[in-house]
Amino acid sequence: MPPESQASREGSHKVKEEGTKDIVVEIQGKVATLWLNRPERRNALTPAMLDQLETELERLAAQSEARAVIVRGAGERAFCAGFDITQIPDVGAGELETARAIPNPVERAMSKLACFPYPTIAMINGAAFGAGLELAICCDLRVAGEGAKMGMPPAKLGLVYMPPGLRRFVEVAGVANAKEIFLTGRTYDAKRALEMGLLHYVVKAAELESFTHSLALEIAGNAPLALTGLKQVLAKVSSWPMSDEDRKYCEEIVGRCLASEDFQEGRLAFIEKRSPRFTGR
């Protein structure tokens, strides 16, 4: 199990823990924390772990009251060291069809995280490399401790990264930075990663958990329909120009929010200078 979190220690709300051995979900009110729980392997990903990640994300989306999700690694050494290379099956030279199937579990899990309906925050403690860094990139926001290290080493391993993953880095850091990150395979400290756009915040290691949890609480206090709608529309506008079909889809989302009870409550609360009481309707 993961170490006791600050939320657990403070005891301000009942904390519910679920999940499996390698993926543990901790729910406190409207904030869920999803732990990558293989500290002895620096939280390196396995196919089974990626399947578990998919399952837990689906369950959180369908059954949880959480409106923000923090993704973090157990232990002090790493957020996630990447895909566990010992879990990659032997593929002989020329076995192209077998090789093509290997990245599938990674991409399925990454897509599930990237498309999660509510905002997600990567809390990066320690190392984030390879698929581990892509996992962080799939989150909407990224917060790192000052000692964090990150990089994409495929070129050093003789690999070409899959197009969906490359595109995510281009969208987050830009083409120029993505080229440097992948072609050099360098390791970056948190300060440089922040400059490149890989991170949103860098904080002192001792403040990482409290800062990230406060950020999640701030986000979770917003209107649920607005949070899910904004994520859907942002996903569409990141591909420009938009098709007529995508434009209509986004207009429908905006219209639903304008017609919602939450919008009426948010407007009234603003006028009355009080905190809104959102219901997700």
Side-chain angles (χ1 to χ4, degrees), residues 266-276:
R267 182 168 59 177
L268 185 62
F270 179 81
I271 293 169
E272 296 177 352
K273 296 181 173 56
R274 61 173 174 80
S275 297

Side-chain angles (χ1 to χ4, degrees), residues 1-2 5 7-8 11-19 24-35 56-70 116 213 217 220:
M1 296 295 289
S5 69
S8 302
S12 57
H13 295 85
K14 180 176 175 58
V15 174
K16 180 180 180 182
E17 288 186 355
E18 299 172 328
V24 176
V25 177
E26 179 186 70
I27 302 174
Q28 183 196 20
K30 293 183 179 180
V31 175
T33 302
L34 191 153
W35 296 75
E56 292 305 320
L57 288 169
E58 288 172 356
R59 189 175 56 77
L60 272 175
Q63 301 174 12
S64 171
E65 292 299 315
R67 296 294 178 259
V69 176
I70 297 169
F116 190 78
H213 191 73
L217 284 173

Side-chain angles (χ1 to χ4, degrees), residues 15-248:
V15 174
K16 180 180 180 182
E17 288 186 355
E18 299 172 328
T20 59
K21 176 180 178 292
D22 293 337
I23 300 290
V24 176
V25 177
E26 179 186 70
I27 302 174
Q28 183 196 20
K30 293 183 179 180
V31 175
T33 302
L34 191 153
W35 296 75
L36 309 175
N37 192 37
R38 292 183 75 212
E40 73 285 356
R41 296 287 297 175
R42 298 201 302 165
N43 303 313
L45 301 168
T46 66
M49 193 174 175
L50 291 165
D51 288 343
Q52 293 164 17
L53 178 61
E54 279 191 81
T55 299
E56 292 305 320
L57 288 169
E58 288 172 356
R59 189 175 56 77
L60 272 175
Q63 301 174 12
S64 171
E65 292 299 315
R67 296 294 178 259
V69 176
I70 297 169
V71 181
R72 64 172 298 176
E76 302 298 323
R77 299 172 60 201
F79 169 76
C80 177
F83 192 86
D84 191 335
I85 200 166
T86 66
Q87 296 290 310
I88 299 176
D90 262 342
V91 180
E95 294 181 20
L96 187 55
E97 291 306 315
T98 302
R100 281 175 175 161
I102 292 173
N104 290 345
V106 177
E107 181 49 34
R108 287 198 308 268
M110 299 297 174
S111 295
K112 186 69 68 174
L113 179 58
C115 296
F116 190 78
Y118 286 101
T120 53
I121 306 171
M123 191 186 104
I124 304 173
N125 51 314
F129 289 96
L133 182 53
E134 186 185 353
L135 196 74
I137 291 294
C138 287
C139 293
D140 299 303
L141 299 174
R142 288 164 294 283
V143 185
E146 288 178 331
K149 302 287 184 183
M150 54 204 71
M152 292 300 295
K156 294 181 180 295
L157 298 172
L159 297 173
V160 173
Y161 215 67
M162 291 294 288
L166 287 170
R167 175 169 178 166
R168 291 185 181 105
F169 279 85
V170 169
E171 289 176 347
V172 166
V175 175
N177 282 330
K179 286 182 176 180
E180 179 186 324
I181 291 165
F182 280 90
L183 296 180
T184 65
R186 288 175 181 167
T187 295
Y188 298 97
D189 61 20
K191 179 182 177 182
R192 179 59 180 143
L194 181 67
E195 294 170 350
M196 299 176 88
L198 294 174
L199 299 173
H200 293 87
Y201 301 97
V202 175
V203 299
K204 293 179 180 178
E207 300 171 1
L208 179 60
E209 186 172 340
S210 61
F211 181 95
T212 307
H213 191 73
S214 294
L215 179 61
L217 284 173
E218 179 183 355
I219 291 170
N222 291 325
L225 289 176
L227 292 174
T228 57
L230 283 165
K231 281 202 64 169
Q232 289 172 307
V233 174
L234 284 165
K236 295 295 184 183
V237 300
S238 64
S239 300
W240 200 263
M242 294 174 67
S243 67
D244 290 342
E245 182 180 354
D246 283 348
R247 189 181 301 277
K248 182 178 179 181

